[in-house]
Amino acid sequence: MSKILAFTNQKGGVGKTTSTANIGAGLLRAGKRVLLVDLDPQANLSKGLGVVKAEKNVYGALLQEYPLKAYPAHGMGLIAGSPALSGFEKVKGDELDREFLLKELLEPIRGKFDYILLDCPPALGLVTLNAYACAQELYIPLEAQLYATDGLEMVLGLVSRVQRRLNPELIVGGIFFTRHDARKVLRRETAEQMRAQHPELVLNSFIRESIALGEAPHLGKDIFTYAPQSAGATDYQALVAEILTR
């Protein structure tokens, strides 16, 4: 049975989608069978791996319009995203057990994969609740800068409620810093402050600022394929190794 990891942050632009794609690619390199699920209405995970305008996506599957379809993406499976996900709450908000629709959708295929990675939207709505309700672990990418802790505390508060009401097995697997530059005093001090506040959650690995990480999705590639010698590849390889030990 696969382990389901959700990558989440209430704040956008923190490298959540980049992390989902590259951690998935790193797990594949470690010999794991990997499925990625694009739950963000922007569908950047799908676009960044070369799956554009997919005929069958996660939104239609959640609405039971057609069976779940995984597209091939560099050796991984990818369930494509859709802009229509932004209306998911309006369509399903009054439905009984609406928080478990994604769990029910993924359950029949869990045996085919070692890891299922969920790229959550930058909002704490019904789509994110569905992700939390079926995940075993959450990973929170974060920039070590002013106001970063605000989004983190909102996520941790929601996790606590989900643990009580929907998914008692859910844990926070870890927090990791993205676009990190230890030479900048504010980033270094913020990182140290957060490590002091959440010593059991902040991972040792962090992702440095890297031009290659921004370039790779434009060519439909992960960082290991695009720039295997880059700082981004080195950092994500270390992060994957740490995740595998948790």
Side-chain angles (χ1 to χ4, degrees):
M1 189 66 72
S2 59
K3 181 179 283 189
I4 301 179
L5 312 181
F7 292 84
T8 182
N9 195 315
Q10 179 266 342
K11 188 177 184 299
V14 295
K16 175 179 53 59
T17 297
T18 298
S19 295
T20 305
N22 290 313
I23 289 170
L27 289 168
L28 180 72
R29 284 164 55 88
K32 307 300 182 182
R33 299 169 298 165
V34 180
L35 176 69
L36 308 178
V37 185
D38 190 349
L39 296 173
D40 192 331
Q42 297 180 73
N44 286 334
L45 178 63
S46 304
K47 297 170 190 172
L49 291 172
V51 179
V52 182
K53 295 183 179 179
E55 291 184 5
K56 296 183 178 180
N57 56 61
V58 68
Y59 179 75
L62 284 166
L63 268 55
Q64 299 184 326
E65 294 176 354
Y66 39 71
L68 194 65
K69 178 177 175 59
Y71 291 86
H74 305 285
M76 299 177 284
L78 171 67
I79 298 174
S82 167
L85 280 166
S86 60
F88 182 67
E89 191 151 0
K90 182 179 289 186
V91 174
K92 291 291 187 179
D94 296 327
E95 189 167 309
L96 188 66
D97 293 334
R98 57 192 176 272
E99 297 93 347
F100 299 103
L101 294 172
L102 181 64
K103 182 177 182 178
E104 293 172 358
L105 189 65
L106 294 176
E107 198 65 34
I109 64 169
R110 285 190 62 186
K112 298 180 180 180
F113 301 95
D114 299 308
Y115 283 89
I116 297 177
L117 275 54
L118 311 178
D119 183 22
C120 298
L124 301 182
L126 183 57
V127 174
T128 299
L129 270 179
N130 267 261
Y132 288 16
C134 70
Q136 280 83 53
E137 298 179 10
L138 299 185
Y139 286 89
I140 306 170
L142 204 66
E143 282 193 63
Q145 59 181 8
L146 198 61
Y147 306 127
T149 55
D150 295 344
L152 172 62
E153 295 306 324
M154 291 180 69
V155 169
L156 294 179
L158 180 58
V159 169
S160 179
R161 295 195 298 275
V162 168
Q163 288 170 329
R164 292 196 305 270
R165 301 174 185 176
L166 301 175
N167 184 3
E169 297 180 358
L170 179 67
I171 64 168
V172 178
I175 299 164
F176 60 94
F177 298 112
T178 58
R179 299 192 178 97
H180 194 56
D181 187 346
R183 296 171 299 179
K184 295 181 178 179
V185 175
L186 177 59
R187 299 222 169 190
R188 187 173 66 248
E189 289 181 347
T190 303
E192 291 171 354
Q193 176 187 357
M194 296 194 68
R195 191 176 294 279
Q197 290 176 343
H198 303 284
E200 74 286 359
L201 295 182
V202 177
L203 301 182
N204 294 321
S205 306
F206 55 84
I207 310 302
R208 287 169 286 179
E209 187 76 61
S210 170
I211 294 174
L213 286 172
E215 294 173 339
H218 292 283
L219 297 174
K221 296 182 178 181
D222 62 77
I223 191 61
F224 302 106
T225 305
Y226 176 67
Q229 305 303 318
S230 66
T234 299
D235 293 347
Y236 273 112
Q237 187 65 47
L239 179 56
V240 166
E242 190 168 2
I243 289 173
L244 284 169
T245 63
R246 294 181 76 81

